[in-house]
Amino acid sequence: SISKTSKYFNHEIRQTQYNRNRRHKFFFGVLPCLGATLLSGLAGALSQRSLQTQVASMERSAYFYTVEISFLSAVCLGISMCMNWSWQQRHNSSNEKPDSLVSEKRNHLFHHWTVGTLLPITTKATAGLLTALVHRHLGSVIKGFALTLGLVFSALLQFIFEDKELTSGQMVGTSLVLFSSWLHFTNPSN
């Protein structure tokens, strides 16, 4: 009787942990991905509308739009860095030691930046400019197909050069992307 009761409780504990893991995956995996997808689609539609709408005889410049978005991103990044730096200064001042004056000179806002930091910054800026141009001339739907086909291409290159087998999920996803791309491009909207 005791062994049946302990088996029952062990089963209940495992079932509770399984349910907790499923909820955790949903709230911290699926839900954020869906939210990011919705926000990305909304941002693409709004930027396409902004870039393709004419006011009187004026067209919006994709280059100036990129500068606006970059400026807002830089402001948000600057605020985040300053808040992080301020928090670190307050945290370090409570644990201050006599040798901290030497380390304080090295602990500035751009302490960990190197010349190599310019590579991702330049790449991101170029990608932003190209994205604005694609939105302006082709629209966000084509940009989405290009992005998705780029991911398919990356998976195929990984398969070819790194000898990593494609999972069944990757193969099904690739098939769906290729099929949906074919449907979209062979049946254009009027």
Side-chain angles (χ1 to χ4, degrees):
S1 172
I2 293 176
S3 67
K4 286 183 182 181
T5 306
S6 67
K7 285 182 184 179
Y8 174 77
F9 283 122
N10 285 338
H11 174 72
E12 288 297 316
I13 290 171
R14 282 195 304 268
Q15 189 66 31
T16 303
Q17 289 172 344
Y18 174 74
N19 289 337
R20 189 178 303 135
N21 288 340
R22 286 186 63 198
R23 279 194 305 267
H24 182 76
K25 287 178 184 177
F26 178 76
F27 285 115
F28 294 103
V30 174
L31 210 56
C33 285
L34 287 175
T37 302
L38 291 172
L39 288 175
S40 176
L42 178 64
L46 290 175
S47 64
Q48 176 183 343
R49 182 168 186 220
S50 172
L51 287 167
Q52 291 180 348
T53 302
Q54 283 188 341
V55 178
S57 64
M58 293 176 47
E59 287 185 357
R60 181 124 192 211
S61 169
Y63 299 105
F64 189 68
Y65 177 78
T66 303
V67 170
E68 291 173 352
I69 296 298
S70 298
F71 177 74
L72 290 174
S73 297
V75 167
C76 290
L77 179 63
I79 290 170
S80 172
M81 287 175 66
C82 288
M83 289 175 61
N84 187 26
W85 182 73
S86 173
W87 181 84
Q88 285 180 347
Q89 292 301 318
R90 278 185 284 154
H91 180 71
N92 289 342
S93 67
S94 64
N95 300 332
E96 198 165 314
K97 297 175 184 157
D99 296 338
S100 67
L101 295 176
V102 175
S103 66
E104 187 175 320
K105 291 181 182 177
R106 291 181 291 153
N107 191 15
H108 54 84
L109 206 53
F110 301 103
H111 172 67
H112 295 287
W113 286 42
T114 64
V115 175
T117 307
L118 294 177
L119 180 65
I121 292 171
T122 307
T123 306
K124 184 78 170 168
T126 305
L129 180 61
L130 292 175
T131 300
L133 289 170
V134 168
H135 276 188
R136 171 97 173 106
H137 297 291
L138 298 174
S140 61
V141 173
I142 300 296
K143 184 204 82 151
F145 278 113
L147 175 68
T148 307
L149 288 172
L151 292 172
V152 168
F153 186 63
S154 296
L156 292 176
L157 287 177
Q158 181 180 356
F159 172 72
I160 292 169
F161 292 116
E162 296 180 9
D163 291 330
K164 289 190 177 179
E165 292 292 322
L166 295 176
T167 65
S168 59
Q170 288 172 324
M171 286 189 271
V172 169
T174 300
S175 302
L176 288 173
V177 165
L178 294 175
F179 181 67
S180 64
S181 299
W182 177 77
L183 284 176
H184 178 75
F185 293 122
T186 57
N187 301 303
S189 62
N190 294 331

